[in-house]
Amino acid sequence: RRVLFRSYFGPSLLLRSGLWTVAAAIAWTVVGPLGARFDVSSDLALAVGLLAFGLLPSSYAATVSALLQASERFDIPAGVTLVSALLKVVLGLGALLAGWGFVGLAGVSIATNAVTALLLTVAAMRVIPLPRPKVDRTLARAMLVAAYPLLISQALNARSEEHTSEL
């Protein structure tokens, strides 16, 4: 069982990186070439860039968290989530009080995501042997095919919740 869950680490990182690349390209297109059409200010473009960059450590942290959960160590991700939430509030308040606005909050997002990834990595290295990411494209493709219906379902569910909240 332990060998099996470790084999998902590399392909999961590969898929998350691929999804990040697509999301970052879309964000860049909206704030870059299409920025004038959408009346995107330089502050907004910077904030979107920072938020997009902040997804990288967040994706890594989610993958390490999944490994910990597969090892039945739910306590560690829960504790790190609590620390991250407190850090986000404190740093976010500091950014707002310093007058940095939403760009400062985007920077706080990167900081908290990086700290979360670091804390999860250190904790995982202490309780489970954290595997070296091994890229298995066949397994990654199989994971994507298996997860695609859930991805679409989640997107549709989020969209329907937006419309429900408008009522």
Side-chain angles (χ1 to χ4, degrees):
R1 184 183 95 146
R2 289 190 177 273
V3 173
L4 181 62
F5 84 78
R6 287 191 195 132
S7 66
Y8 286 94
F9 189 55
S12 181
L13 285 175
L14 177 67
L15 288 173
R16 289 175 189 270
S17 297
L19 289 172
W20 175 84
T21 302
V22 170
I26 292 169
W28 177 82
T29 302
V30 170
V31 299
L34 299 176
R37 174 182 274 172
F38 294 113
D39 197 28
V40 175
S41 69
S42 59
D43 281 349
L44 180 58
L46 178 58
V48 169
L50 291 171
L51 289 169
F53 182 74
L55 290 175
L56 277 176
S58 178
S59 293
Y60 176 80
T63 304
V64 174
S65 179
L67 280 179
L68 286 163
Q69 291 173 4
S71 298
E72 298 181 1
R73 292 303 309 260
F74 299 97
D75 55 324
I76 295 171
V80 170
T81 298
L82 179 64
V83 170
S84 297
L86 291 171
L87 188 62
K88 188 179 296 186
V89 169
V90 170
L91 292 178
L93 181 60
L96 291 174
L97 289 174
W100 296 341
F102 62 88
V103 174
L105 292 176
V108 165
S109 173
I110 292 175
T112 55
N113 290 346
V115 168
T116 300
L118 180 66
L119 290 174
L120 283 169
T121 300
V122 169
M125 289 171 60
R126 291 183 180 192
V127 297
I128 61 172
L130 197 59
R132 294 181 85 166
K134 180 183 172 193
V135 176
D136 181 347
R137 293 184 192 281
T138 304
L139 181 56
R141 191 174 307 115
M143 289 169 60
L144 183 61
V145 168
Y148 186 75
L150 297 173
L151 180 71
I152 296 301
S153 175
Q154 180 67 23
L156 292 173
N157 188 32
R159 185 77 176 137
S160 70
E161 287 177 9
E162 284 178 21
H163 290 296
T164 304
S165 67
E166 291 174 0
L167 298 175

